[in-house]
Each structure stands twice: as C-alpha cells, then as structure tokens.
Amino acid sequence: MQHYNMNLTLKVWKQKNGKTKGGFETYPVRNVSSEMSFLEMFDVLNEQLVSEGKEPIAFDHDCREGICGMCSMVINGRAHGPWSQNTTCQLHMRAYEDGDTITVEPWRADAFPVIKDLVVDRTGFDRIIQAGGFISVNTGNAQDANALPIDKQKADESFAAASCIGCGACVAACPNASAMLFVSAKVSHLALLPQGEPERMTRAFNMVNQMDTEGFGSCTNIGACEAECPKGISLENIARLNREYIGSMLSGSKVEGMA
Amino acid sequence: MSLTGLFLITFLIVHCYINAQIFYNDGGARFTEAAHFMGTNFLIRTVEIGLMGFLLLHVIQGLALWSKNRSRRTNRYAVNAGSATSPWYSRSMALLGTLILLFLIMHLSKFWAPNRFSQITGNGEKDLYHMMKEEFQTAWVVGVYIFGCISLGWHLVHGFYSAFQTLGLGTSRYKGLIKTTGIAFSIIVPLIFIAMPVAFFMNWLA
C-alpha cells in the first residue's frame, strides 16, 4: 500500500461538561500520515493544540488494539468510522484522502451523557451487568476442565457473543438509542452455557428492566447495531434475548436487585 | 407491535382472498356472495370488533414507541449514517404506518362505513361490487389506492420479519425463510390489491 500524507479539516464536537451546551469546532490538521491510526491523528492534533496554548480535545481510549472497547467516536455519522467490524483505534488514516473534511461526534444517547467533548458516561452498561450479567460460582479449587460437557456449537455461539467489548457502538448507531445488542450479547454468552443456568429465569428480565431504567430506547429490529458492531455481534442474539425474556416472564420468578 | 402486526397480516390474507374474487369477472357474483358471508356471519363480525381493536392498539403502540424512542436521543447527530447501516424503510415505520392509517381512513369511509351504516339502519347490505366499480373510475382515487398499497408493501417488508424477530424466531435456521417469505408477501399482497382499482379503472372487469 502506497504511503501518503494528507491535509485534513476536522469538525469536532466540543462540550465543556454535561451541563453546558456543546458545539462544533473546526481544526485544520496538516501532514497526516496514511499509516497513522485515527487516534494517533488526534494525538498529533492535541499536541498541536497544546503547543498553541489551546485546550486539547478530550476523547476515550485505552488499549488501542481493538479489544478494550474504550474508544468511542462517531465519524461522519458512523460509529467507529467507515470500516466494518472495526474500532476507532484500529481505523487508519488510509481510509481518507487529502482535503477531506471529517466530522467527529460523541456517542449520542440520553443514557450516555457527555462528560467532556467526545467522552461519554457509559456506566449504564455496568449497572445492566450488575442487574444480571453474572453467574454464581462456588469458591474453592478450580473444577476439572472437562467436568461439564458443553455442546461444541453452543460453546462457539457463546464465545461469539462473549466477544462483545461493551463499547456502546450499538447504542450510538441505533436510531432508537437502544442497548438491545449489548444486553443480548451478555445474556446469550451466559444463557448458552450450563454455568449460566442458575440465574437464567431472572437474568433477561432483570437486565432488560435495568436497560429501560437507564433510559435506553426500545428495539425495533432496524439492524444498524449489527452493521456497526466492531465485534460482529449478530441480531440472532437479540432473538435469543427475546426468547429468554419471554421465558423469564412465563416463569413468574421476578427477582429484583439480585446484585 | 409484533402480535397485533401478525394479526393484521392474517387479516390482509383473508381480505385479499375475498376481494380477489372479483377477478372471476362474473359481474361480481362470487365476490358478492363472499362479501355477504363476511358481512353477516356472526363469528366474522365478532372477529371484526377484535380487528378494529387490534388496529387501534397497533397504531397507539406504534406512535407511543416512536415518540418514546425519539426522546431517547435529545441531542441528535449532525451527520447521520442513513442507508449505510440500515434500510430506509426499517427506520420509517412510523411514517409508513401514518400513511397507511390516512389511506385506511379514506378506504373505510368509502366502503366499510357506508355498508355497515346501511346494515344497522335496516337498509341491508350495499352492492360493494358496483360501489368499487363506480369509485375506481376516478383517476386520483386509483392513484391514492396505489400509493396506499405501496406504503403498505414497504411497511410489510420490515414489519413481517420484525414481528418474528421480536418473538425470538430470527435464528440462523429461520431468518432466511422469514425474510424471503416476508419480501414475497410484501410484494404479492399489495400487488393484488393494486390490481383491483386498476382493473376497474381500465374497464377490464364487467
């Protein structure tokens, strides 16, 4: 792949905190290498801003290798940018050309309030996990590895669901700001395994309940979440969540606040 | 949304089947016979009350869902992904539904309401076949019917699949079957409905 440098115009959402109204700021960025990642380009811009005595842009990031789920930018309307099954930190500048204007916004959902600039508060996801995304395990010696036989296909499906990194791109991409894909991945990953059985009849109900309490929207099966998910979590998980939820309802065991 | 939607889909099949009787081109004899059964059978009339109830429930649920979901993102995006991540009709169910509702108000006030009114006031059933024949001589009425049926088709493309997905049936085994059946249904049923006013307008039917 040919290496090239480019000059870009960035329109970035700036917001002092959750209480103030934000707005777009325009920044020119020069000599951006096509081999930089999107976040490295932001590092360059921020160093430039610091050297000019201006305030740098706040953005979330951690591992920068696509596995932690911290980076969260809506780039030209696309959560994590234009590449499919990709996180912002793994998006490279070769996706752009000289002279491009790029609009960068935070995840927008009332359940994800802006903390500063592009940083949003995603602790709503933690509270959903606390409501049911766990299993009860006895302490003591580790069990023999193959003591519990698990169907290969179920193990694979569970593993695929467990690859959700909880970044919130599904919420950001959903026109309804629904967290169904996230909740469905977390419910699926436990519901498919025998270890998830003890809480199974209450898990889906409690997690969906918490999702509603947090102020996420309702799923209308649009599918934008699946299209934007950096880990390729499938809508089949939402179908499974719906089955688990119906099962939860029919079982009649509504245990609130198990955590 | 899912259960009321599936009920309305079932109704569409019955409605489509009964009205397609006009294509026998027998001056409306078979159609009138079927319409008479539907208009006078006690069981059908009871289900009709349920149908109106479910239709109303579907509209109320839909509008409530739309307004609730809209309120979940107070600050909207400056740039939207649009069709890059989802088809337009899946994002436009409330709009398509409203178009269908407006069409239904016109449709029911043309045929269903006058017929039932005539029955209740003791004047017997109306001759629906000739009412259709007369109504569908006007070009704009035919135009509105075509537009209404196209809206219905797009609404069904998403609605059919979505109803099953909500019930948890969108698994890898059934998803393809549901989507294909849904698309076929959304094309065939509205097309048969469109063929009715068009056939009268073009004077294909006696």
Side-chain angles (χ1 to χ4, degrees):
Chain A
M1 189 157 304
Q2 192 72 41
H3 165 262
Y4 57 96
N5 281 355
M6 64 195 102
N7 294 329
L8 299 167
T9 308
L10 247 63
K11 281 177 71 184
V12 184
W13 185 260
K14 289 284 287 175
Q15 187 172 338
K16 202 167 176 178
N17 54 49
K19 291 188 185 79
T20 53
K21 228 173 118 84
F24 283 101
E25 289 263 354
T26 307
Y27 304 96
V29 199
R30 299 200 185 286
N31 283 323
V32 174
S33 158
S34 60
E35 292 179 13
M36 280 180 185
S37 77
F38 203 81
L39 296 186
E40 279 168 338
M41 184 267 294
F42 259 79
D43 294 336
V44 169
L45 171 61
N46 271 346
E47 287 199 16
Q48 185 186 308
L49 288 173
V50 170
S51 70
E52 288 167 3
K54 293 179 187 158
E55 199 182 60
I57 301 155
F59 64 94
D60 259 332
H61 62 104
D62 190 16
C63 76
R64 297 208 177 193
E65 52 187 12
I67 55 171
C68 77
M70 271 316 278
C71 52
S72 51
M73 291 181 185
V74 174
I75 304 160
N76 287 340
R78 302 286 304 274
H80 290 303
W83 291 353
S84 73
Q85 295 199 23
N86 191 73
T87 53
T88 301
C89 63
Q90 294 291 295
L91 173 67
H92 283 70
M93 294 314 294
R94 58 178 179 271
Y96 299 95
E97 280 168 30
D98 190 36
D100 279 357
T101 299
I102 308 172
T103 307
V104 186
E105 301 174 70
W107 282 178
R108 291 197 195 274
D110 290 6
F112 284 164
V114 169
I115 296 172
K116 189 178 167 66
D117 301 343
L118 302 172
V119 180
V120 296
D121 180 358
R122 284 173 280 184
T123 51
F125 271 13
D126 298 339
R127 289 185 290 273
I128 292 175
I129 294 293
Q130 283 162 8
F134 54 82
I135 56 164
S136 305
V137 194
N138 293 328
T139 52
N141 286 339
Q143 265 189 349
D144 186 36
N146 291 318
L148 283 172
I150 298 169
D151 188 83
K152 164 75 173 150
Q153 197 191 332
K154 283 193 171 175
D156 286 350
E157 279 176 39
S158 172
F159 194 79
S163 66
C164 166
I165 52 178
C167 65
C170 43
V171 176
C174 177
N176 307 331
S178 171
M180 279 287 271
L181 195 67
F182 165 76
V183 175
S184 76
K186 297 305 171 192
V187 164
S188 288
H189 129 229
L190 301 174
L192 284 160
L193 299 177
Q195 287 89 342
E197 276 300 322
E199 299 89 358
R200 189 167 170 191
M201 281 301 132
T202 53
R203 180 178 296 115
F205 185 87
N206 286 342
M207 288 178 78
V208 168
N209 225 10
Q210 187 63 36
M211 175 178 83
D212 291 340
T213 310
E214 295 292 338
F216 292 103
S218 301
C219 179
T220 57
N221 305 318
I222 291 170
C225 53
E226 187 187 41
E228 293 290 60
C229 176
K231 296 296 152 186
I233 303 292
S234 151
L235 287 181
E236 282 170 36
N237 291 297
I238 295 186
R240 186 179 296 104
L241 169 62
N242 290 339
R243 291 199 301 278
E244 293 287 321
Y245 185 82
I246 294 166
S248 274
M249 298 264 282
L250 294 179
S251 80
S253 45
K254 297 177 188 175
V255 184
E256 304 281 343
M258 285 194 302
Chain B
M1 298 277 20
S2 164
L3 294 175
T4 50
L6 286 173
F7 183 86
L8 294 173
I9 284 173
T10 316
F11 159 74
L12 278 180
I13 299 171
V14 177
H15 184 21
C16 190
Y17 172 72
I18 300 278
N19 280 50
Q21 306 290 320
I22 62 168
F23 295 120
Y24 277 114
N25 207 1
D26 55 1
R30 288 196 210 214
F31 166 76
T32 308
E33 196 184 316
H36 171 71
F37 170 75
M38 296 303 282
T40 51
N41 185 282
F42 174 74
L43 196 69
I44 303 284
R45 294 296 301 278
T46 313
V47 175
E48 186 181 75
I49 298 168
L51 172 66
M52 287 302 166
F54 277 146
L55 177 66
L56 208 63
L57 193 62
H58 192 73
V59 171
I60 294 167
Q61 278 182 322
L63 290 174
L65 189 64
W66 173 78
S67 89
K68 183 192 137 196
N69 280 339
R70 249 189 100 74
S71 73
R72 299 310 195 198
R73 182 173 285 133
T74 320
N75 297 311
R76 310 194 77 79
Y77 288 110
V79 185
N80 280 293
S83 297
T85 56
S86 59
W88 69 271
Y89 50 82
S90 72
R91 285 175 275 120
S92 315
M93 289 300 274
L95 173 69
L96 290 167
T98 307
L99 290 176
I100 296 167
L101 181 65
L102 291 175
F103 164 73
L104 273 183
I105 292 170
M106 171 181 158
H107 176 52
L108 291 179
S109 64
K110 273 195 188 302
F111 298 107
W112 178 80
N115 191 33
R116 290 289 177 272
F117 183 75
S118 174
Q119 282 177 292
I120 292 165
T121 50
N123 296 321
E125 288 171 81
K126 289 207 163 216
D127 184 355
L128 289 168
Y129 186 81
H130 286 97
M131 280 169 81
M132 279 200 274
K133 205 169 171 179
E134 201 176 309
E135 282 289 351
F136 296 143
Q137 293 306 315
T138 323
W140 73 266
V141 175
V142 176
V144 169
Y145 268 74
I146 293 172
F147 184 73
C149 291
I150 292 172
S151 307
L152 174 68
W154 285 117
H155 195 74
L156 281 170
V157 173
H158 181 69
F160 191 97
Y161 151 76
S162 186
F164 288 99
Q165 168 75 357
T166 297
L167 294 177
L169 295 166
T171 58
S172 52
R173 181 184 286 183
Y174 298 121
K175 197 174 185 174
L177 179 70
I178 292 167
K179 283 210 160 174
T180 314
T181 314
I183 291 167
F185 187 89
S186 318
I187 295 170
I188 294 166
V189 171
L191 263 186
I192 296 174
F193 278 127
I194 286 174
M196 295 170 194
V198 170
F200 279 115
F201 186 72
M202 305 298 284
N203 289 317
W204 291 338
L205 298 172

